[in-house]
Amino acid sequence: MVYHHPKLLVAVDCVIFGYEDGELKLLLRPREIEPALGKWSLMGGFVGLEESVEDAAMRVLYSTTGLKDIYLEQVAAFSAVDRDPGARVVSIAFVALIRIDQHDKALVRENGAHWWPLNQLPELIFDHEKIINDGLRSLQKRASFELTGKELLPEKFTLMQLRSLYEVIYQRPFDPGNFRKKVLSLNVLERLNIKNTTESKKGAFYYRFKESEDNSNGDRIFKIN
Amino acid sequence: MVYHHPKLLVAVDCVIFGYEDGELKLLLRPREIEPALGKWSLMGGFVGLEESVEDAAMRVLYSTTGLKDIYLEQVAAFSAVDRDPGARVVSIAFVALIRIDQHDKALVRENGAHWWPLNQLPELIFDHEKIINDGLRSLQKRASFELTGKELLPEKFTLMQLRSLYEVIYQRPFDPGNFRKKVLSLNVLERLNIKNTTESKKGAFYYRFKESEDNSNGDRIFKIN
DNA sequence: TCAAAAGTGTTGAAGCTACACCCATGC
DNA sequence: GCATGGGTGTAGCTTCAACACTTTTGA
């Protein structure tokens, strides 16, 4: 049986965050069709008949970065009637977190895509700037409940690197000593017996996320603001 | 210009919460068409070509409760390919909060709709039980950041009534003294010079929400669990 | 008089903030 | 030696949970 109602184009748009050179970056690509040809756009695609929106987002991520099993989280549906002047499109936005060093650089280049620092974004099409803002707030919320870094940092990292990541996610400084104590008290990291000596004279121990640790107990770990 | 991609039915489903007789209740209606005829369903409808999903949710709420300007919040998109056996439908779920005593009872009756206590729900169609669970978690989250009651309680209410509301939202008891102190410290309620004497011998002051108070500063006010 | 809710006070534990302070080392 | 980040400690403050206690009044 078929319901008699209008059908709409349904898209997914992925706010793909990566972390490199102490900055949060976003993977964007120049739009290749009218309208808004040449402006920059989130990585997106249309949802097919035989896939969920999550499947579609995974497909988009795989086809643009070559990565599977990416952290993915729904943000919201964006559906203003005129948000896309070319057609009526309802878009489901996702946040994706990836390690920049792991993605398929050739594939990204082939797509004309480019990593843009979060605070030096180019002109974006449609409502993508708003989507990005909501995506960042979503990331901040996640980072405030669950220690976030596994998906963005290298396998092993120093506490200073983790703190730097939090500083760019929250756009504010953290007290080094207090950050260290708080993070270690969560009991989700394990210290390795290797030191990083490139970023400080003394050398700092590497840490990594423990396997299969829940990492989230419902409490805030950092306050936003 | 038109994009050449499949189009899908897009629906909205509203998890409509009300509070009555010390219980959280949900407005549901029996489904009138196959498949799943006779099972109970969230209040929903299809999104038209000339409306956003928020518009569509508003429209559904107005046509089933007679109310406008309702608190409405997106929960998520549900889009499993086979979630509706009758057709491919992507549904955007919303949470709505209303005062049960204010809605249009005749209209609700006319729709065959019925208020069901949250913990005695009937058998539901499709994935609506999951949608309700996610909706409740969404309500809990909101109530943990922002004192919630304006949309569910009568204009004036006692602190005991507010506490009872929180107890059913969180499904756990709150210490009366501590709850009182915490809530009053938020500075979003104003005490009226009237007492309610029907629920206690001594009589308790009525309170109401202050006008245009932000009511949310980013901090948790209650921990979930 | 007694039960039940209203409303206030207290106390100890826990967490957070803002620091001070020493350590190790490359320059 | 000195600047830099690594790492630990601490004093003062706020918050919170648990619970005692007093007030008021209808049954």
Side-chain angles (χ1 to χ4, degrees):
Chain A
M1 113 135 235
V2 181
Y3 303 125
H4 301 293
H5 291 281
K7 295 187 177 185
L8 311 177
L9 288 167
V10 179
V12 293
D13 281 302
C14 299
V15 183
I16 308 177
F17 286 105
Y19 180 64
E20 194 180 45
D21 303 329
E23 286 184 312
L24 263 190
K25 295 184 178 177
L26 241 44
L27 190 60
L28 302 174
R29 83 175 139 208
R31 187 166 159 99
E32 289 171 344
I33 53 174
E34 289 291 354
L37 189 152
K39 286 194 189 176
W40 291 76
S41 149
L42 291 169
M43 309 306 270
F46 288 95
V47 177
L49 293 171
E50 299 297 332
E51 59 180 0
S52 67
V53 294
E54 285 78 13
D55 291 340
M58 292 289 190
R59 179 171 53 74
V60 165
L61 287 168
Y62 182 65
S63 71
T64 54
T65 67
L67 294 174
K68 290 188 175 183
D69 295 323
I70 292 181
Y71 173 82
L72 209 55
E73 187 185 331
Q74 252 195 59
V75 177
F78 292 79
S79 66
V81 172
D82 57 355
R83 57 178 290 279
D84 179 338
R88 177 68 204 282
V89 183
V90 171
S91 175
I92 316 297
F94 286 83
V95 159
L97 305 181
I98 80 173
R99 293 189 194 151
I100 288 192
D101 60 302
Q102 276 190 354
H103 76 285
D104 184 332
K105 289 190 175 60
L107 191 56
V108 164
R109 216 175 304 119
E110 188 182 310
N111 282 313
H114 187 251
W115 286 98
W116 289 83
L118 181 58
N119 35 30
Q120 296 161 44
L121 294 179
E123 199 178 352
L124 293 153
I125 63 166
F126 308 165
D127 53 2
H128 284 201
E129 187 172 336
K130 174 164 175 37
I131 296 179
I132 289 171
N133 284 338
D134 287 9
L136 176 61
R137 253 184 281 130
S138 193
L139 171 58
Q140 288 174 335
K141 211 153 205 175
R142 196 225 182 193
S144 82
F145 286 112
E146 189 170 344
L147 192 63
T148 296
K150 196 188 183 67
E151 302 87 357
L152 289 166
L153 294 170
E155 175 72 17
K156 57 189 206 296
F157 50 86
T158 64
L159 293 181
M160 186 202 181
Q161 290 165 347
L162 180 59
R163 178 166 56 84
S164 299
L165 172 60
Y166 263 81
E167 295 187 334
V168 296
I169 290 178
Y170 278 80
Q171 323 248 37
R172 71 165 171 96
F174 284 80
D175 179 279
N178 294 339
F179 183 87
R180 149 186 300 277
K181 273 175 287 186
K182 178 69 190 183
V183 162
L184 292 180
S185 78
L186 298 173
N187 217 28
V188 298
L189 298 182
E190 67 183 324
R191 200 181 77 175
L192 307 179
N193 281 321
I194 324 163
K195 283 196 168 194
N196 169 318
T197 51
T198 65
E199 297 188 329
S200 77
K201 328 278 168 99
K202 184 176 175 183
F205 280 108
Y206 276 119
Y207 286 79
R208 71 169 171 217
F209 281 85
K210 287 185 192 173
E211 283 304 323
S212 72
E213 197 71 29
D214 190 355
N215 189 359
S216 155
N217 63 0
D219 279 7
R220 272 264 157 103
I221 55 179
F222 297 109
K223 273 191 275 193
I224 296 178
N225 290 332
Chain B
M1 112 138 238
V2 182
Y3 303 126
H4 300 292
H5 291 282
K7 295 186 176 187
L8 310 178
L9 288 166
V10 179
V12 293
D13 281 301
C14 298
V15 183
I16 307 178
F17 286 106
Y19 180 63
E20 194 180 46
D21 303 329
E23 286 183 313
L24 262 190
K25 294 184 178 178
L26 241 42
L27 189 60
L28 303 173
R29 83 176 138 210
R31 186 167 160 98
E32 288 172 342
I33 53 174
E34 290 291 357
L37 190 151
K39 286 195 189 176
W40 292 75
S41 149
L42 292 169
M43 310 305 271
F46 289 94
V47 177
L49 293 171
E50 299 297 332
E51 59 180 1
S52 67
V53 295
E54 286 78 12
D55 292 339
M58 292 287 191
R59 179 171 53 73
V60 165
L61 287 168
Y62 182 65
S63 70
T64 54
T65 67
L67 295 175
K68 290 187 174 181
D69 295 323
I70 294 180
Y71 173 82
L72 208 57
E73 185 185 332
Q74 251 195 60
V75 177
F78 292 80
S79 66
V81 172
D82 58 355
R83 58 176 291 280
D84 180 337
R88 176 69 204 282
V89 182
V90 171
S91 176
I92 315 297
F94 286 83
V95 159
L97 304 181
I98 79 173
R99 293 190 194 151
I100 288 192
D101 61 301
Q102 276 191 353
H103 76 284
D104 184 334
K105 288 191 176 58
L107 191 57
V108 165
R109 216 176 304 117
E110 188 182 308
N111 282 313
H114 187 252
W115 287 97
W116 289 85
L118 181 59
N119 36 31
Q120 297 160 45
L121 294 179
E123 199 177 352
L124 294 152
I125 64 166
F126 309 164
D127 53 0
H128 284 201
E129 188 172 334
K130 174 163 176 37
I131 296 179
I132 289 171
N133 285 338
D134 286 8
L136 176 60
R137 251 183 283 131
S138 194
L139 172 58
Q140 289 173 336
K141 210 151 205 177
R142 194 222 183 198
S144 81
F145 286 112
E146 189 170 344
L147 193 62
T148 296
K150 194 187 185 67
E151 302 88 358
L152 289 165
L153 294 170
E155 175 72 17
K156 57 188 204 296
F157 50 86
T158 64
L159 292 181
M160 187 202 181
Q161 290 165 348
L162 180 59
R163 177 166 55 83
S164 299
L165 172 60
Y166 262 82
E167 294 186 335
V168 297
I169 290 177
Y170 278 81
Q171 322 248 34
R172 72 165 170 95
F174 283 80
D175 177 278
N178 294 337
F179 184 87
R180 150 185 299 278
K181 273 173 290 185
K182 178 70 190 183
V183 162
L184 292 180
S185 79
L186 297 174
N187 218 28
V188 297
L189 299 183
E190 68 182 324
R191 201 181 77 176
L192 306 179
N193 281 321
I194 324 163
K195 282 197 170 194
N196 169 318
T197 52
T198 65
E199 296 188 329
S200 77
K201 327 279 168 100
K202 185 177 175 183
F205 279 109
Y206 276 119
Y207 288 79
R208 72 169 171 215
F209 281 84
K210 288 185 191 171
E211 283 304 323
S212 71
E213 197 71 29
D214 190 355
N215 190 0
S216 156
N217 62 0
D219 279 6
R220 272 265 156 103
I221 55 179
F222 297 110
K223 273 191 275 191
I224 295 179
N225 292 331

